[in-house]
């Protein structure tokens, strides 16, 4: 049975290789001061920065530079961004980059008009914003997180060794996002495949839960099949527009709240992966790939029916003469082969994690209860040891 739910997605999308021109339609809706948020400089190298600055100037905007958003944005950087927005009376936060820039922009947006420290309020106490929220727009240069059409914002606190995501309400979703698949062509291969695995895992996190006959699961299977197909083309031919555009669109649908409607969700690979990220600062998608197989092999017996369906529907495993468990295992083997083929991290040692970090990573893992097995800390420790 499909559970009861409400659904609204507040973000307007412009998709395609001419989509940047629609920034001209959006800018007049906002005030003069635009805080231009970007990362370590990839947009300067590939020319996207110049194109955007020209459009902002043509529209008479004041450009407030906010560069240097790092992958896995930190609480210190967030506090800097809040100060920049306050000092310059920012009217629009325009993020240009991947999930890190989009997440950071959303975290700034809920904090500028709020007196309390954002870490304590949003990431420790998980409170909702009680102040005016600044509008956010995103121009995406990396497909993966789905941040362009959701209200999530993940922030890392290195001092406390915690990486935590807050999923805000629909009022925090970007007002608009511009998705040009060509902007992703300049991504290094390692970032591209990390993004692809992130997308895949977002779908898994919402698929591996519940036993009901649920439309969301059929949509999830279709998204996984499209992603697997396109990923194999993109690793061979990174400038294949068809593959890159399908990957970009799949990323958005994988985490814009649609496929979680009416069902429970897991998210434990993300919880463990984020804790690994807090210790290693490794690329988000790689922290997920490195812990996935030990996790799924461990919980598989508790959700056998769904793991069998995953094998048959997503990986075309034939059940002829095999037990349910064998079919499910074949599915995970096929997933492992695909992961190796596209080249994602297969263990946390290659991300810099060491045995002496395991207890701390275990402690830093939030336990959620929507999956097939509610893990104990000891089970998380075992999964992490298997991931080394
Ligand atoms: O900083 P620059 O120089 O721009 O380089 C970036 C960065 O080093 C580079 N890059 C991006 N687009 C490029 C490019 N390089 C060349 N050409 C381009 N077109 O890629 C690197 C990674 O970028 P980043 O934004 O960090 O990657 P991603 O999109 O994977 O975002 C990761 C962050 O999002 C969070 C993660 O935890 C992590 O902090 N997530 C956000 C979610 C959400 N809002 O719902 C959900 C996710 O599960 C995830 O947790
Ligand atoms: Zn993710």
């Amino acid at each position: 049975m499909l559970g009861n739910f409400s659904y609204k997605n507040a973000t307007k999308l412009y998709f395609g290789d001419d989509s940047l021109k629609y920034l001209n339609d959006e800018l007049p809706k906002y005030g003069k001061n635009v805080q231009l948020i970007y990362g370590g400089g990839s947009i300067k190298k590939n020319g996207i920065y110049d194109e955007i600055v020209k459009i902002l100037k043509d529209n008479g905007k004041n450009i407030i530079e906010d560069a240097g958003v790092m992958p896995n944005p930190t609480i210190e950087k967030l506090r800097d961004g809040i100060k920049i927005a306050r000092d310059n009376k920012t009217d629009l936060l325009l993020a240009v980059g991947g999930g890190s820039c989009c997440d950071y922009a959303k975290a700034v947006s809920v904090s500028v008009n709020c007196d309390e420290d954002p870490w304590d309020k949003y990431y420790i106490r998980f409170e909702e914003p009680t102040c005016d929220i600044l509008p956010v727009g995103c121009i995406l240069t990396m497909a993966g997180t789905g941040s362009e059409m959701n209200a999530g914002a993940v922030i890392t606190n290195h001092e406390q060794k915690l990486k935590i995501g807050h999923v805000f309400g629909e009022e925090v979703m970007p007002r608009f996002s511009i998705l040009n698949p060509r902007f992703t062509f300049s991504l290094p291969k390692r970032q591209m495949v990390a993004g692809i695995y992130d997308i895949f895992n977002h779908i898994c996190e919402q698929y591996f839960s519940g036993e009901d006959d649920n439309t969301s699961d059929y949509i999830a299977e279709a998204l996984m099949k499209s992603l697997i197909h396109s990923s194999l083309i993109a690793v061979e031919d990174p400038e294949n527009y068809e593959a890159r555009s399908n990957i970009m669109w799949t990323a958005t649908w994988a985490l814009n709240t649609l496929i979680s409607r009416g069902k429970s969700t897991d998210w434990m690979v993300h919880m463990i992966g984020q804790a690994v990220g807090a210790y290693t600062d490794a690329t988000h998608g790689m922290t997920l790939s490195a812990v996935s197989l030990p996790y799924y092999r461990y919980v598989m017996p508790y959700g056998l029916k769904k793991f069998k369906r995953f094998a048959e529907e997503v990986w075309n495993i034939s059940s002829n003469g095999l037990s349910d468990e064998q079919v499910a295992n074949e599915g995970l083997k096929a997933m492992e082969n695909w992961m190796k083929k596209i080249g994602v991290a297969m263990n946390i040692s290659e991300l810099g994690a060491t045995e002496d970090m395991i207890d701390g990573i275990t402690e830093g893992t939030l336990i959620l209860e929507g999956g097939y097995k509610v893990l104990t800390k000891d089970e998380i420790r075992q999964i992490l040891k298997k991931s080394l």
Side-chain angles (χ1 to χ4, degrees):
M1 191 189 79
L2 204 57
N4 303 342
F5 61 87
S6 68
Y7 181 70
K8 176 181 173 183
N9 196 305
T11 305
K12 176 154 189 177
L13 293 181
Y14 299 95
F15 190 98
D17 61 1
D18 69 344
S19 50
L20 187 59
K21 71 179 184 207
Y22 296 102
L23 186 57
N24 288 301
D25 293 358
E26 288 294 330
L27 289 175
K29 299 177 189 168
Y30 305 97
K32 212 172 161 55
N33 299 327
V34 178
Q35 188 162 331
L36 181 58
I37 292 167
Y38 56 98
S42 70
I43 63 164
K44 290 202 166 161
K45 282 191 211 129
N46 59 23
I48 297 171
Y49 176 86
D50 290 337
E51 284 185 64
I52 292 169
V53 165
K54 182 175 182 314
I55 296 175
L56 289 169
K57 285 187 177 157
D58 288 350
N59 283 272
K61 300 294 180 183
N62 281 338
I63 300 173
I64 302 148
E65 287 271 332
D66 184 0
V69 178
M70 61 293 282
N72 311 319
T74 62
I75 184 65
E76 290 80 14
K77 177 67 189 163
L78 172 57
R79 291 185 186 121
D80 287 349
I82 295 165
K83 185 169 181 323
I84 294 172
R86 284 179 184 157
D87 290 352
N88 293 280
K89 298 192 168 38
T90 294
D91 296 305
L92 171 69
L93 296 157
L94 185 62
V96 188
S100 293
C101 288
C102 301
D103 278 20
Y104 166 86
K106 286 181 254 179
V108 172
S109 79
V110 292
S111 306
V112 175
N113 297 311
C114 174
D115 293 333
E116 288 165 90
D117 183 71
W119 181 256
D120 296 335
K121 183 176 171 64
Y122 298 126
Y123 296 95
I124 298 295
R125 298 200 303 273
F126 284 97
E127 289 175 16
E128 293 311 311
T130 43
C131 51
D132 285 345
I133 299 166
L134 281 187
V136 170
C138 296
I139 299 171
L140 202 63
T141 65
M142 159 153 182
T145 65
S147 186
E148 65 276 11
M149 205 186 196
N150 70 35
V154 183
I155 296 295
T156 297
N157 185 324
H158 286 297
E159 205 183 308
Q160 297 183 12
K161 291 220 177 311
L162 290 173
K163 180 178 183 188
I164 297 180
H166 187 133
V167 181
F168 292 96
E170 69 197 29
E171 66 284 0
V172 181
M173 288 183 180
R175 299 287 179 88
F176 65 91
S177 285
I178 291 175
L179 278 60
N180 183 340
R182 277 189 208 288
F183 287 178
T184 68
F185 283 3
S186 57
L187 263 178
K189 184 178 171 208
R190 191 179 155 78
Q191 290 294 343
M192 177 183 78
V193 298
I196 289 170
Y197 191 78
D198 191 22
I199 303 166
F200 189 78
N201 192 253
H202 292 157
I203 307 170
C204 290
E205 300 275 30
Q206 297 164 94
Y207 180 76
F208 288 119
S209 51
E211 294 289 356
D212 303 337
D213 185 21
N214 185 311
T215 297
S216 294
D217 289 337
Y218 293 92
I219 301 172
E221 286 162 358
L223 291 173
M224 286 192 264
K225 285 196 249 189
S226 166
L227 181 66
I228 294 161
H229 173 75
S230 298
S231 67
L232 293 170
I233 297 169
V235 289
E236 293 299 324
D237 179 14
E239 301 210 353
N240 185 306
Y241 183 85
E242 187 171 49
R244 296 306 284 267
S245 57
N246 281 323
I247 291 169
M248 197 172 212
W249 193 218
T250 305
T252 304
W253 283 98
L255 196 52
N256 68 359
T257 75
L258 176 82
I259 62 168
S260 63
R261 291 310 85 183
K263 68 179 304 250
S264 56
T265 55
D266 182 357
W267 292 108
M268 277 313 295
V269 169
H270 269 67
M271 293 306 102
I272 302 171
Q274 274 173 209
V276 171
Y279 273 75
T280 60
D281 207 25
T283 300
H284 171 66
M286 297 303 193
T287 64
L288 308 176
S289 60
V291 302
S292 279
L293 285 161
Y295 174 73
Y296 288 126
R297 290 198 165 116
Y298 185 76
V299 298
M300 193 258 277
Y302 302 93
L304 188 57
K305 206 170 136 194
K306 184 62 78 60
F307 280 90
K308 178 177 181 247
R309 173 172 162 175
F310 174 68
E312 289 173 337
E313 298 298 327
V314 179
W315 299 104
N316 296 320
I317 305 292
S318 150
S319 54
N320 273 353
L322 299 180
S323 68
D324 289 358
E325 200 172 6
Q326 284 169 326
V327 176
N329 268 321
E330 287 301 313
L332 290 178
K333 249 188 242 163
M335 174 175 150
E336 180 173 3
N337 289 341
W338 168 71
M339 290 166 74
K340 287 180 175 159
K341 213 172 200 174
I342 63 169
V344 291
M346 299 304 286
N347 57 65
I348 59 175
S349 308
E350 58 183 288
L351 304 176
T354 47
E355 181 113 40
D356 60 320
M357 293 178 185
I358 296 291
D359 282 342
I361 297 173
T362 304
E363 267 327 294
T365 301
L366 294 178
I367 296 177
L368 302 179
E369 303 191 346
Y372 287 122
K373 167 81 177 75
V374 180
L375 296 182
T376 63
K377 287 280 177 185
D378 200 48
E379 288 170 318
I380 293 170
R381 191 175 293 108
Q382 297 314 319
I383 288 165
L384 282 164
K385 281 188 177 161
K386 282 216 163 90
S387 307
L388 269 171

